[in-house]
Amino acid sequence: MGSTIKKIAAASAVALASFGGTAANAQSAFDGFYLGAFIQNDFAKTFGGAGFNGAVGAFGGYNYSVGNGLVVGAEAEVQYDWATSAVPAGSAFTGIANARVGYTPMSNALIYAKGGAGFMTGAGAIYNFGAGAEYSFGKYFVRAEGMQVITTNGAPNRTDLKLGIGVSF
Protein backbone atom coordinates (compact mmCIF):
# COMPACT_ATOMS: atom_id res chain seq x y z
CA MET A 1 0.00 0.00 0.00
CA GLY A 2 2.78 2.45 0.95
CA SER A 3 4.59 1.65 -2.29
CA THR A 4 1.50 2.46 -4.38
CA ILE A 5 1.02 5.81 -2.62
CA LYS A 6 4.71 6.66 -3.21
CA LYS A 7 4.40 5.78 -6.92
CA ILE A 8 1.25 7.91 -7.31
CA ALA A 9 2.85 10.79 -5.41
CA ALA A 10 6.03 10.57 -7.51
CA ALA A 11 4.08 10.42 -10.78
CA SER A 12 1.92 13.38 -9.68
CA ALA A 13 4.99 15.41 -8.72
CA VAL A 14 6.66 14.74 -12.08
CA ALA A 15 3.47 15.65 -13.97
CA LEU A 16 2.96 18.88 -11.98
CA ALA A 17 6.62 19.85 -12.26
CA SER A 18 6.69 19.38 -16.02
CA PHE A 19 3.39 21.22 -16.59
CA GLY A 20 4.01 23.96 -14.01
CA GLY A 21 7.63 24.42 -15.03
CA THR A 22 6.72 25.08 -18.64
CA ALA A 23 4.06 27.65 -17.74
CA ALA A 24 6.28 29.34 -15.15
CA ASN A 25 9.20 29.61 -17.57
CA ALA A 26 6.96 31.00 -20.31
CA GLN A 27 5.56 33.70 -18.00
CA SER A 28 8.60 34.74 -15.96
CA ALA A 29 9.71 37.46 -18.41
CA PHE A 30 6.37 39.25 -17.99
CA ASP A 31 5.74 38.89 -14.26
CA GLY A 32 6.16 41.89 -11.95
CA PHE A 33 6.66 45.65 -12.24
CA TYR A 34 7.78 47.42 -15.43
CA LEU A 35 8.41 50.95 -16.77
CA GLY A 36 8.90 52.28 -20.27
CA ALA A 37 8.54 55.02 -22.86
CA PHE A 38 6.76 55.23 -26.22
CA ILE A 39 6.09 57.27 -29.32
CA GLN A 40 2.79 57.15 -31.19
CA ASN A 41 0.95 58.47 -34.21
CA ASP A 42 -2.70 59.56 -34.34
CA PHE A 43 -4.13 58.09 -37.55
CA ALA A 44 -7.45 59.94 -37.27
CA LYS A 45 -5.79 63.06 -38.66
CA THR A 46 -4.30 63.29 -42.12
CA PHE A 47 -0.57 63.68 -42.59
CA GLY A 48 -1.19 67.02 -44.44
CA GLY A 49 0.46 70.22 -43.31
CA ALA A 50 0.47 69.29 -39.61
CA GLY A 51 3.39 66.84 -39.95
CA PHE A 52 3.71 64.02 -37.42
CA ASN A 53 0.42 63.83 -35.49
CA GLY A 54 1.60 62.02 -32.43
CA ALA A 55 2.69 61.84 -28.86
CA VAL A 56 5.52 60.86 -26.58
CA GLY A 57 4.85 59.28 -23.24
CA ALA A 58 5.73 56.96 -20.41
CA PHE A 59 4.00 53.88 -19.02
CA GLY A 60 4.29 51.71 -15.96
CA GLY A 61 2.45 48.76 -14.56
CA TYR A 62 2.38 45.37 -12.95
CA ASN A 63 1.76 41.95 -14.52
CA TYR A 64 0.81 38.79 -12.67
CA SER A 65 1.13 35.31 -14.18
CA VAL A 66 -1.92 33.26 -13.27
CA GLY A 67 -0.82 30.03 -14.98
CA ASN A 68 -1.07 28.24 -18.30
CA GLY A 69 0.49 31.23 -20.09
CA LEU A 70 -2.18 33.70 -18.91
CA VAL A 71 -0.99 37.09 -17.65
CA VAL A 72 -3.20 39.80 -16.10
CA GLY A 73 -2.15 43.27 -15.09
CA ALA A 74 -2.77 46.96 -14.66
CA GLU A 75 -1.00 49.81 -16.44
CA ALA A 76 -0.97 53.61 -16.29
CA GLU A 77 0.38 55.95 -18.93
CA VAL A 78 0.91 59.67 -19.37
CA GLN A 79 1.63 61.37 -22.64
CA TYR A 80 1.98 64.70 -24.38
CA ASP A 81 -0.04 64.79 -27.61
CA TRP A 82 0.69 67.38 -30.29
CA ALA A 83 -1.51 68.01 -33.33
CA THR A 84 -4.10 65.56 -31.98
CA SER A 85 -7.46 65.28 -33.76
CA ALA A 86 -9.34 64.87 -30.47
CA VAL A 87 -8.57 68.39 -29.21
CA PRO A 88 -9.56 71.61 -31.02
CA ALA A 89 -6.42 73.39 -29.77
CA GLY A 90 -4.27 70.62 -31.29
CA SER A 91 -2.20 69.56 -28.26
CA ALA A 92 -2.99 68.00 -24.90
CA PHE A 93 -1.73 66.05 -21.93
CA THR A 94 -3.34 62.63 -21.45
CA GLY A 95 -3.45 60.22 -18.53
CA ILE A 96 -4.96 56.73 -18.87
CA ALA A 97 -5.39 53.73 -16.55
CA ASN A 98 -5.82 50.32 -18.24
CA ALA A 99 -6.46 46.71 -17.32
CA ARG A 100 -4.48 44.15 -19.37
CA VAL A 101 -4.87 40.47 -20.11
CA GLY A 102 -2.41 38.51 -22.21
CA TYR A 103 -1.00 35.19 -23.26
CA THR A 104 2.62 34.06 -23.54
CA PRO A 105 2.89 31.71 -26.55
CA MET A 106 6.64 31.40 -25.86
CA SER A 107 8.94 32.40 -23.02
CA ASN A 108 9.91 35.83 -24.38
CA ALA A 109 6.70 36.93 -26.18
CA LEU A 110 3.44 38.34 -24.84
CA ILE A 111 0.27 39.05 -26.84
CA TYR A 112 -2.23 41.20 -24.93
CA ALA A 113 -5.45 43.20 -24.99
CA LYS A 114 -6.08 46.22 -22.82
CA GLY A 115 -8.74 48.77 -22.11
CA GLY A 116 -9.46 51.57 -19.72
CA ALA A 117 -10.34 55.20 -19.17
CA GLY A 118 -8.61 58.48 -18.62
CA PHE A 119 -8.60 62.23 -19.14
CA MET A 120 -7.25 64.46 -21.90
CA THR A 121 -6.90 68.21 -21.49
CA GLY A 122 -9.22 69.90 -23.97
CA ALA A 123 -11.23 66.72 -24.59
CA GLY A 124 -12.31 65.63 -21.10
CA ALA A 125 -12.96 61.98 -20.31
CA ILE A 126 -11.74 59.38 -22.79
CA TYR A 127 -11.98 55.62 -23.12
CA ASN A 128 -9.60 53.33 -24.94
CA PHE A 129 -9.19 49.72 -25.98
CA GLY A 130 -6.68 47.89 -28.10
CA ALA A 131 -4.16 45.10 -28.45
CA GLY A 132 -0.43 44.68 -28.68
CA ALA A 133 2.59 42.46 -28.41
CA GLU A 134 5.82 42.56 -26.41
CA TYR A 135 9.11 40.79 -26.97
CA SER A 136 11.53 40.38 -24.08
CA PHE A 137 15.34 40.51 -24.16
CA GLY A 138 15.98 39.49 -20.56
CA LYS A 139 14.73 42.33 -18.37
CA TYR A 140 14.31 44.70 -21.35
CA PHE A 141 11.45 44.55 -23.85
CA VAL A 142 10.03 46.20 -26.95
CA ARG A 143 6.35 46.61 -27.68
CA ALA A 144 3.94 47.60 -30.43
CA GLU A 145 0.25 48.25 -29.90
CA GLY A 146 -2.79 49.69 -31.61
CA MET A 147 -5.37 51.61 -29.60
CA GLN A 148 -8.78 53.09 -30.35
CA VAL A 149 -9.38 56.27 -28.30
CA ILE A 150 -13.00 57.33 -27.83
CA THR A 151 -13.81 60.85 -26.65
CA THR A 152 -16.92 61.77 -24.67
CA ASN A 153 -17.24 65.42 -25.76
CA GLY A 154 -18.06 64.90 -29.44
CA ALA A 155 -14.46 65.41 -30.61
CA PRO A 156 -13.25 62.95 -33.25
CA ASN A 157 -12.20 59.53 -32.03
CA ARG A 158 -8.74 58.39 -33.06
CA THR A 159 -6.65 55.32 -33.73
CA ASP A 160 -3.12 55.29 -32.28
CA LEU A 161 -0.16 53.14 -33.15
CA LYS A 162 2.44 53.02 -30.35
CA LEU A 163 6.01 51.76 -30.35
CA GLY A 164 7.79 51.46 -27.01
CA ILE A 165 10.69 50.15 -25.00
CA GLY A 166 10.73 49.16 -21.37
CA VAL A 167 12.43 47.44 -18.47
CA SER A 168 11.05 44.87 -16.01
CA PHE A 169 11.96 44.77 -12.31
Side-chain angles (χ1 to χ4, degrees):
M1 179 73 154
S3 163
T4 304
I5 292 174
K6 286 181 184 178
K7 287 179 185 177
I8 292 172
S12 298
V14 169
L16 286 173
S18 63
F19 176 73
T22 303
N25 290 339
Q27 298 169 34
S28 64
F30 301 101
D31 202 20
F33 289 101
Y34 60 90
L35 293 172
F38 65 87
I39 60 170
Q40 80 176 35
N41 195 38
D42 168 5
F43 286 102
K45 197 167 190 175
T46 63
F47 284 96
F52 184 73
N53 303 308
V56 292
F59 60 88
Y62 183 83
N63 287 327
Y64 178 73
S65 301
V66 295
N68 296 328
L70 185 63
V71 176
V72 296
E75 182 176 282
E77 65 183 55
V78 294
Q79 65 192 47
Y80 172 70
D81 302 87
W82 66 87
T84 181
S85 64
V87 179
S91 63
F93 286 95
T94 303
I96 301 173
N98 289 305
R100 293 185 359 143
V101 61
Y103 178 71
T104 54
M106 55 188 186
S107 64
N108 54 353
L110 173 69
I111 300 167
Y112 62 89
K114 73 180 194 178
F119 184 83
M120 179 187 295
T121 58
I126 58 173
Y127 302 95
N128 71 318
F129 62 91
E134 294 179 359
Y135 190 83
S136 166
F137 302 93
K139 69 179 192 170
Y140 301 99
F141 62 90
V142 294
R143 74 163 34 170
E145 67 183 29
M147 300 296 296
Q148 180 67 42
V149 178
I150 302 165
T151 63
T152 60
N153 71 346
N157 297 333
R158 67 181 208 222
T159 302
D160 297 335
L161 174 64
K162 299 179 181 185
L163 300 173
I165 58 171
V167 62
S168 300
F169 300 100

